[in-house]
Amino acid sequence: MSDAHPYRREESEAERLDRNFGEQLQEVRIAQAGVQILFAFLLTIPFQQRFSALTDLQRDIYVATLVSIAISTLVFMTPVAMHRMLFREGLKDFVVRHTDTLIGTGLFFLGAGIIGGVVLVLDVLLSHTTAFWIGGSLALLAIALWVVLPLTQRRRRSREDADGSSTD
């Protein structure tokens, strides 16, 4: 059986919004666990004895990483806060639409924080050059997995829809 839209559902607009918001919250839960661990780790670093031995560059990387993770934490918490503030106001479409954007923004800052944390640790352990090469490689990997892979599937689906055919 060949169908260009194998996952089509029969649901009302309200049911679709409820399902979408539930799926978005599950995505946020998964990302938030990593954000919380990294944020807690970053908050403890300045209280370590070796922190005073960091170079200016390493401190700058640390600050950028800490701020990125703080932004990611706040952004990932926003859908919950919006839902709380707008509960029973008939604005679930607003919440779902903006949660989609917030998740993308949160993932951007989470990616920056992960890469910054790795670069900081590798810069302390190895060298600036090695740390930045590995950080750049990780950034490319994140872009490939988080952006390019989904976009290739979106384009594939668009081509199939335009052709009226499917290779599933």
Side-chain angles (χ1 to χ4, degrees):
M1 177 193 308
S2 178
D3 185 3
H5 298 286
Y7 298 112
R8 200 171 286 275
R9 290 187 163 96
E10 298 295 327
E11 58 190 355
S12 70
E13 180 69 10
E15 290 170 330
R16 185 184 63 77
L17 288 171
D18 288 342
R19 179 180 53 79
N20 287 347
F21 190 59
E23 290 174 2
Q24 290 171 330
L25 287 181
Q26 190 61 21
E27 292 172 6
V28 168
R29 282 184 195 108
I30 291 166
Q32 189 64 26
V35 169
Q36 288 172 338
I37 292 166
L38 187 52
F39 195 40
F41 167 73
L42 289 170
L43 290 174
T44 64
I45 289 178
F47 303 104
Q48 305 300 315
Q49 288 180 352
R50 289 192 61 200
F51 187 78
S52 61
L54 293 181
T55 66
D56 288 341
L57 175 62
Q58 291 167 339
R59 277 204 170 105
D60 291 345
I61 295 168
Y62 170 78
V63 169
T65 301
L66 179 66
V67 170
S68 290
I69 293 300
I71 292 169
S72 183
T73 300
L74 290 170
V75 168
F76 280 136
M77 299 298 285
T78 301
V80 176
M82 277 194 323
H83 184 263
R84 264 305 90 215
M85 294 298 296
L86 300 174
F87 187 66
R88 295 188 180 165
E89 295 291 328
L91 294 169
K92 181 138 311 166
D93 58 335
F94 171 85
V95 173
V96 169
R97 188 172 55 253
H98 285 81
T99 295
D100 185 55
T101 303
L102 290 164
I103 290 172
T105 303
L107 286 171
F108 171 81
F109 284 102
L110 173 58
I114 290 169
I115 292 163
V118 169
V119 168
L120 176 62
V121 170
L122 292 177
D123 191 53
V124 170
L125 295 176
L126 304 172
S127 70
H128 293 320
T129 304
T130 303
F132 283 105
W133 272 105
I134 292 173
S137 298
L138 290 174
L140 289 174
L141 180 61
I143 290 167
L145 294 174
W146 292 4
V147 178
V148 175
L149 179 62
L151 286 178
T152 59
Q153 292 307 301
R154 183 185 290 174
R155 285 190 199 114
R156 183 181 138 263
R157 173 57 62 124
S158 295
R159 280 194 312 271
E160 288 174 0
D161 288 349
D163 294 344
S165 64
S166 177
T167 58
D168 292 338

